[in-house]
Amino acid sequence: IAGITQAPTSQILAAGRRMTLRCTQDMRHNAMYWYRQDLGLGLRLIHYSNTAGTTGKGEVPDGYSVSRANTDDFPLTLASAVPSQTSVYFCASSETGYTEAFFGQGTRLTVV
Amino acid sequence: DAKTTQPNSMESNEEEPVHLPCNHSTISGTDYIHWYRQLPSQGPEYVIHGLTSNVNNRMASLAIAEDRKSSTLILHRATLRDAAVYYCILSSNDYKLSFGAGTTVTVRA
């Protein structure tokens, strides 16, 4: 059972470049989330989706976009990366807003 | 969004219980109390959750105050593998799980 799969595991990206972080779940969960975690800090919600076809903004959505074309996939796009977007990005999913969330292993992104 | 307050850090000896407090004085009637932990270089891992009654599972116990304004996560016998950052979170139907700084638990051998 894979659970949540994120790709790539890590990436070094030049500032100004476009980048899409991929996230796939095989649990048929309705809700999916993207978080970023800066060094030594807690996780901050970027965007979420409570069902396929709908998305919502979290605490720090600026500079990021998401789409939810189907249940399984929830890609996060940085249209024009900046160094302040250097972080570890975690994708997660849950059946509902009340149930346990499952997290991926993260994507370590460095923008130079 | 309802917020939680946790101590920055706690230490424990191996094989001893660990009691992690969490205050959530602005909790609403439909908020669930969730606990997650994050081991070094890993994504967060679900530990336990509850609404009003105390809960037990293979990993831990959750004791919820009668007024629901505080809760305590109990690790019954700490092991070195329990060293992690523990997050207390309130979940609601707005899908916005909000992680604070959490409590860093250190386990001494």
Side-chain angles (χ1 to χ4, degrees), chain A residues 31 33 35 37 41-43 45 48-50 57-59 90 94-101 103-105 108, chain B residues 1 3 30-32 34 36 38 41-46 49 87 91-101:
Chain A
Y33 314 83
Y35 289 87
Q37 185 173 34
L41 300 179
L43 285 79
L45 182 65
Y48 68 95
S49 168
N50 59 7
K57 295 181 179 180
E59 302 170 72
F90 290 102
S94 65
E95 179 59 29
T96 71
Y98 292 110
T99 54
E100 65 181 280
F103 285 80
Q105 288 303 299
R108 185 174 298 276
Chain B
D1 293 340
K3 300 298 182 187
T30 56
D31 287 339
Y32 278 74
H34 283 236
Y36 289 80
Q38 187 175 23
S41 300
Q42 294 190 23
E45 173 188 31
Y46 167 82
H49 77 285
Y87 297 98
S91 71
S92 67
N93 62 0
D94 69 357
Y95 294 86
K96 295 180 179 179
L97 289 180
S98 181
F99 287 73

Side-chain angles (χ1 to χ4, degrees), chain B residues 16-79:
Chain B
E16 291 184 354
V18 182
H19 291 242
L20 301 177
C22 181
N23 288 318
H24 28 79
S25 59
T26 60
I27 190 171
S28 74
T30 56
D31 287 339
Y32 278 74
I33 302 158
H34 283 236
W35 284 83
Y36 289 80
R37 72 179 185 181
Q38 187 175 23
L39 280 64
S41 300
Q42 294 190 23
E45 173 188 31
Y46 167 82
V47 177
I48 199 166
H49 77 285
L51 182 62
T52 57
S53 303
N54 295 344
V55 185
N56 300 296
N57 67 19
R58 64 176 180 82
M59 292 181 69
S61 295
L62 176 61
I64 302 172
E66 191 169 341
D67 64 4
R68 297 205 336 120
K69 294 184 177 182
S70 65
S71 61
T72 302
L73 178 71
I74 303 165
L75 307 178
H76 295 286
R77 294 179 63 192
T79 71

Side-chain angles (χ1 to χ4, degrees), chain A residues 7-49:
Chain A
T9 303
S10 65
Q11 181 76 44
I12 298 174
L13 185 68
R17 297 294 296 271
R18 180 184 180 90
M19 174 77 188
T20 295
L21 307 185
R22 300 184 299 278
C23 176
T24 299
Q25 54 115 348
D26 62 2
M27 296 171 283
R28 307 298 294 173
H29 283 165
N30 288 314
M32 297 188 75
Y33 314 83
W34 273 106
Y35 289 87
R36 62 176 287 174
Q37 185 173 34
D38 299 327
L39 189 64
L41 300 179
L43 285 79
R44 291 184 292 171
L45 182 65
I46 305 171
H47 285 287
Y48 68 95
S49 168

Side-chain angles (χ1 to χ4, degrees), chain A residues 31-104:
Chain A
M32 297 188 75
Y33 314 83
W34 273 106
Y35 289 87
R36 62 176 287 174
Q37 185 173 34
D38 299 327
L39 189 64
L41 300 179
L43 285 79
R44 291 184 292 171
L45 182 65
I46 305 171
H47 285 287
Y48 68 95
S49 168
N50 59 7
T51 190
T54 67
T55 62
K57 295 181 179 180
E59 302 170 72
V60 289
D62 294 343
Y64 305 95
S65 64
V66 292
S67 62
R68 187 88 185 276
N70 57 61
T71 297
D72 299 340
D73 301 300
F74 192 43
L76 175 73
T77 298
L78 290 67
S80 179
V82 296
S84 63
Q85 293 177 311
T86 293
S87 191
V88 180
Y89 291 84
F90 290 102
C91 179
S93 74
S94 65
E95 179 59 29
T96 71
Y98 292 110
T99 54
E100 65 181 280
F102 294 83
F103 285 80

